[in-house]
Protein backbone atom coordinates (compact mmCIF):
# COMPACT_ATOMS: atom_id res chain seq x y z
CA UNK A 1 0.00 0.00 0.00
CA UNK A 2 1.25 3.47 -0.86
CA UNK A 3 1.53 6.25 1.67
CA UNK A 4 0.93 8.83 -1.06
CA UNK A 5 -2.05 11.05 -0.37
CA UNK A 6 -4.08 11.66 -3.49
CA UNK A 7 -7.55 12.52 -4.64
CA UNK A 8 -8.53 11.37 -8.09
CA UNK A 9 -8.57 14.48 -10.27
CA UNK A 10 -8.39 12.98 -13.76
CA UNK A 11 -12.01 11.76 -13.77
CA UNK A 12 -14.79 13.34 -15.81
CA UNK A 13 -16.83 15.91 -13.86
CA UNK A 14 -19.65 14.85 -11.60
CA UNK A 15 -23.15 15.57 -12.82
CA UNK A 16 -26.62 16.33 -11.49
CA UNK A 17 -29.59 14.55 -13.05
CA UNK A 18 -33.23 15.27 -12.24
CA UNK A 19 -34.71 11.79 -11.96
CA UNK A 20 -38.18 12.86 -10.85
CA UNK A 21 -39.70 16.28 -10.24
CA UNK A 22 -37.43 18.04 -7.68
CA UNK A 23 -35.56 14.78 -7.00
CA UNK A 24 -31.93 14.79 -8.12
CA UNK A 25 -29.04 12.36 -8.38
CA UNK A 26 -25.48 13.57 -7.96
CA UNK A 27 -23.34 11.11 -9.85
CA UNK A 28 -19.60 10.97 -9.35
CA UNK A 29 -17.73 8.99 -11.99
CA UNK A 30 -16.27 5.69 -10.87
CA UNK A 31 -12.53 5.36 -10.68
CA UNK A 32 -11.37 5.02 -7.11
CA UNK A 33 -12.29 4.07 -3.60
CA UNK A 34 -14.14 6.75 -1.65
CA UNK A 35 -16.34 7.86 -4.56
CA UNK A 36 -20.06 7.54 -3.90
CA UNK A 37 -23.27 8.72 -5.49
CA UNK A 38 -25.61 10.94 -3.51
CA UNK A 39 -28.94 12.57 -4.13
CA UNK A 40 -31.16 15.34 -2.93
CA UNK A 41 -34.73 16.55 -2.83
CA UNK A 42 -35.19 20.24 -3.56
CA UNK A 43 -38.13 21.81 -1.75
CA UNK A 44 -39.46 25.36 -1.58
CA UNK A 45 -38.06 25.84 1.95
CA UNK A 46 -35.00 23.65 1.90
CA UNK A 47 -33.10 20.66 0.63
CA UNK A 48 -32.90 17.09 1.93
CA UNK A 49 -29.58 15.47 1.07
CA UNK A 50 -29.13 11.71 1.00
CA UNK A 51 -25.54 11.24 2.19
CA UNK A 52 -22.45 13.45 2.08
CA UNK A 53 -19.22 12.71 0.22
CA UNK A 54 -15.87 11.42 1.47
CA UNK A 55 -13.57 14.41 1.19
CA UNK A 56 -13.85 18.12 1.81
CA UNK A 57 -13.25 18.87 -1.89
CA UNK A 58 -15.89 16.39 -3.08
CA UNK A 59 -18.46 17.49 -0.51
CA UNK A 60 -17.95 21.15 -1.42
CA UNK A 61 -18.38 20.25 -5.10
CA UNK A 62 -21.61 18.44 -4.21
CA UNK A 63 -22.90 21.45 -2.26
CA UNK A 64 -22.01 23.71 -5.20
CA UNK A 65 -23.94 21.37 -7.51
CA UNK A 66 -26.98 21.62 -5.23
CA UNK A 67 -26.59 25.40 -5.49
CA UNK A 68 -26.97 25.21 -9.28
CA UNK A 69 -30.46 23.76 -8.74
CA UNK A 70 -31.74 25.79 -5.79
CA UNK A 71 -30.67 28.63 -3.56
CA UNK A 72 -32.34 26.94 -0.58
CA UNK A 73 -30.07 25.54 2.15
CA UNK A 74 -29.67 21.88 2.99
CA UNK A 75 -31.83 21.55 6.10
CA UNK A 76 -31.69 17.76 6.46
CA UNK A 77 -28.83 15.34 5.78
CA UNK A 78 -29.63 11.63 5.86
CA UNK A 79 -26.77 9.18 6.36
CA UNK A 80 -27.70 5.82 4.81
CA UNK A 81 -24.88 4.09 6.72
CA UNK A 82 -21.66 4.91 8.58
CA UNK A 83 -18.95 4.47 5.94
CA UNK A 84 -16.80 7.53 5.40
CA UNK A 85 -17.68 7.94 1.73
CA UNK A 86 -21.19 8.77 2.98
CA UNK A 87 -20.33 10.63 6.21
CA UNK A 88 -16.89 12.28 6.25
CA UNK A 89 -18.41 15.39 4.63
CA UNK A 90 -21.21 15.73 7.22
CA UNK A 91 -19.53 18.66 8.98
CA UNK A 92 -19.82 20.85 5.86
CA UNK A 93 -23.64 20.86 5.97
CA UNK A 94 -23.84 23.88 8.26
CA UNK A 95 -27.09 24.03 10.19
CA UNK A 96 -28.50 20.79 8.75
CA UNK A 97 -30.14 18.18 10.95
CA UNK A 98 -28.12 14.99 10.45
CA UNK A 99 -30.38 11.93 10.50
CA UNK A 100 -29.30 8.29 10.74
CA UNK A 101 -29.93 4.94 12.34
CA UNK A 102 -28.78 4.64 15.97
CA UNK A 103 -26.08 2.17 14.89
CA UNK A 104 -24.94 4.60 12.19
CA UNK A 105 -24.25 7.19 14.87
CA UNK A 106 -22.36 4.68 17.02
CA UNK A 107 -20.37 3.36 14.05
CA UNK A 108 -19.43 6.85 12.78
CA UNK A 109 -17.98 7.60 16.21
CA UNK A 110 -16.20 4.24 16.42
CA UNK A 111 -14.75 4.55 12.88
CA UNK A 112 -13.25 7.92 13.73
CA UNK A 113 -11.06 10.13 11.57
CA UNK A 114 -10.39 9.28 7.90
CA UNK A 115 -6.82 8.23 8.66
CA UNK A 116 -8.16 5.07 10.31
CA UNK A 117 -9.19 3.83 6.87
CA UNK A 118 -5.66 4.11 5.49
CA UNK A 119 -4.83 0.67 6.84
CA UNK A 120 -7.36 -0.84 4.43
CA UNK A 121 -7.42 1.45 1.37
CA UNK A 122 -5.17 3.90 -0.40
CA UNK A 123 -5.33 7.21 1.43
CA UNK A 124 -6.73 10.28 -0.33
CA UNK A 125 -6.54 14.03 0.18
CA UNK A 126 -9.27 14.22 2.83
CA UNK A 127 -9.07 17.91 3.67
CA UNK A 128 -9.76 19.09 7.21
CA UNK A 129 -12.46 16.56 8.18
CA UNK A 130 -14.32 16.85 11.48
CA UNK A 131 -16.36 13.82 12.48
CA UNK A 132 -20.01 14.82 12.74
CA UNK A 133 -22.34 11.87 13.48
CA UNK A 134 -26.13 11.89 13.10
CA UNK A 135 -27.79 13.60 16.05
CA UNK A 136 -31.37 12.66 15.18
CA UNK A 137 -31.53 8.87 15.25
CA UNK A 138 -34.13 6.15 14.79
CA UNK A 139 -34.32 2.39 15.27
CA UNK A 140 -36.80 1.38 12.56
CA UNK A 141 -37.37 4.50 10.51
CA UNK A 142 -38.41 8.09 10.27
CA UNK A 143 -40.38 10.10 7.72
CA UNK A 144 -39.09 13.41 6.38
CA UNK A 145 -40.93 15.75 4.03
CA UNK A 146 -39.82 17.85 1.08
CA UNK A 147 -42.83 20.13 0.75
CA UNK A 148 -45.63 17.58 0.16
CA UNK A 149 -43.30 14.79 -0.95
CA UNK A 150 -43.02 12.02 1.65
CA UNK A 151 -39.59 10.42 2.08
CA UNK A 152 -39.57 7.32 4.27
CA UNK A 153 -36.16 6.57 5.76
CA UNK A 154 -36.19 2.90 6.75
CA UNK A 155 -33.59 0.68 8.38
CA UNK A 156 -33.07 -2.42 6.25
CA UNK A 157 -33.51 -4.56 9.37
CA UNK A 158 -30.77 -7.07 8.68
CA UNK A 159 -27.10 -6.76 7.78
CA UNK A 160 -26.74 -5.83 4.12
CA UNK A 161 -23.73 -3.71 3.14
CA UNK A 162 -23.29 -2.88 6.85
CA UNK A 163 -25.33 -3.56 10.00
CA UNK A 164 -26.84 -0.07 9.89
CA UNK A 165 -28.06 0.39 6.29
CA UNK A 166 -31.12 2.44 5.52
CA UNK A 167 -32.98 3.25 2.33
CA UNK A 168 -34.90 6.41 1.44
CA UNK A 169 -38.21 5.46 -0.17
CA UNK A 170 -40.44 7.93 -2.05
CA UNK A 171 -43.77 6.05 -2.18
CA UNK A 172 -45.58 8.64 -4.31
CA UNK A 173 -42.82 8.37 -6.93
CA UNK A 174 -42.21 4.62 -6.66
CA UNK A 175 -38.49 5.22 -6.25
CA UNK A 176 -35.79 4.98 -3.64
CA UNK A 177 -32.18 5.61 -2.84
CA UNK A 178 -30.60 2.43 -1.54
CA UNK A 179 -27.00 3.70 -1.34
CA UNK A 180 -24.77 0.63 -1.19
CA UNK A 181 -26.92 -1.61 1.00
CA UNK A 182 -27.52 -4.31 -1.58
CA UNK A 183 -26.43 -5.46 -4.99
CA UNK A 184 -27.06 -3.43 -8.12
CA UNK A 185 -29.54 -5.99 -9.46
CA UNK A 186 -31.44 -6.15 -6.18
CA UNK A 187 -31.66 -2.37 -5.94
CA UNK A 188 -32.98 -2.08 -9.47
CA UNK A 189 -35.54 -4.78 -8.78
CA UNK A 190 -36.76 -3.93 -5.28
CA UNK A 191 -36.54 -0.17 -5.52
CA UNK A 192 -37.67 0.38 -9.12
CA UNK A 193 -35.09 3.10 -8.83
CA UNK A 194 -34.91 6.10 -11.09
CA UNK A 195 -32.31 7.24 -8.60
CA UNK A 196 -28.97 6.05 -9.93
CA UNK A 197 -27.80 2.60 -9.13
CA UNK A 198 -23.99 2.52 -9.20
Amino acid sequence: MSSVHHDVSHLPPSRVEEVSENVFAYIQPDGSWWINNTGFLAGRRGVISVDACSTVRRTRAYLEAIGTVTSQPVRTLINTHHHGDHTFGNHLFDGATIVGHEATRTSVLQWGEPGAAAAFWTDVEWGDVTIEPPFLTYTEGVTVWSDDLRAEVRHVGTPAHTTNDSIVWLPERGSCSAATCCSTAARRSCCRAPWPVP
Side-chain angles (χ1 to χ4, degrees):
M1 180 173 77
S2 169
S3 62
V4 174
H5 296 270
H6 70 282
D7 197 3
V8 177
S9 59
H10 60 276
L11 297 175
S14 301
R15 68 186 192 278
V16 174
E17 290 185 15
E18 188 169 19
V19 295
S20 184
E21 184 181 356
N22 295 321
V23 178
F24 298 86
Y26 180 69
I27 303 167
Q28 298 185 84
D30 194 15
S32 174
W33 290 104
W34 302 107
I35 295 179
N36 66 321
N37 293 329
T38 56
F40 61 97
L41 291 74
R44 291 185 306 272
R45 295 182 300 134
V47 173
I48 299 170
S49 175
V50 180
D51 287 323
C53 299
S54 60
T55 69
V56 168
R57 183 181 66 81
R58 291 180 188 156
T59 302
R60 285 189 177 140
Y62 173 48
L63 290 167
E64 288 172 12
I66 292 172
T68 67
V69 171
T70 178
S71 61
Q72 293 299 318
V74 177
R75 296 187 185 273
T76 306
L77 170 59
I78 299 165
N79 288 151
T80 58
H81 64 286
H82 75 279
H83 286 166
D85 56 330
H86 299 261
T87 61
F88 284 158
N90 283 1
H91 67 285
L92 296 173
F93 289 79
D94 292 333
T97 300
I98 305 173
V99 179
H101 188 268
E102 285 185 3
T104 300
R105 175 183 170 78
T106 301
S107 297
V108 164
L109 292 169
Q110 287 174 344
W111 183 297
E113 298 290 327
F120 302 101
W121 295 282
T122 302
D123 208 4
V124 301
E125 184 64 44
W126 301 108
D128 190 16
V129 172
T130 301
I131 299 302
E132 185 73 40
F135 56 88
L136 175 61
T137 62
Y138 54 88
T139 55
E140 293 181 18
V142 65
T143 300
V144 295
W145 295 84
S146 179
D147 301 331
D148 294 327
L149 180 60
R150 179 186 190 96
E152 297 178 4
V153 184
R154 297 293 177 252
H155 182 244
V156 174
T158 185
H161 178 61
T162 71
T163 59
N164 55 84
D165 297 299
S166 293
I167 62 167
V168 181
W169 169 245
L170 307 177
E172 288 84 6
R173 305 288 174 85
S175 64
C176 77
S177 176
T180 49
C181 75
C182 54
S183 72
T184 299
R187 280 182 280 166
R188 285 195 175 114
S189 171
C190 76
C191 296
R192 302 186 303 264
W195 278 10
V197 180

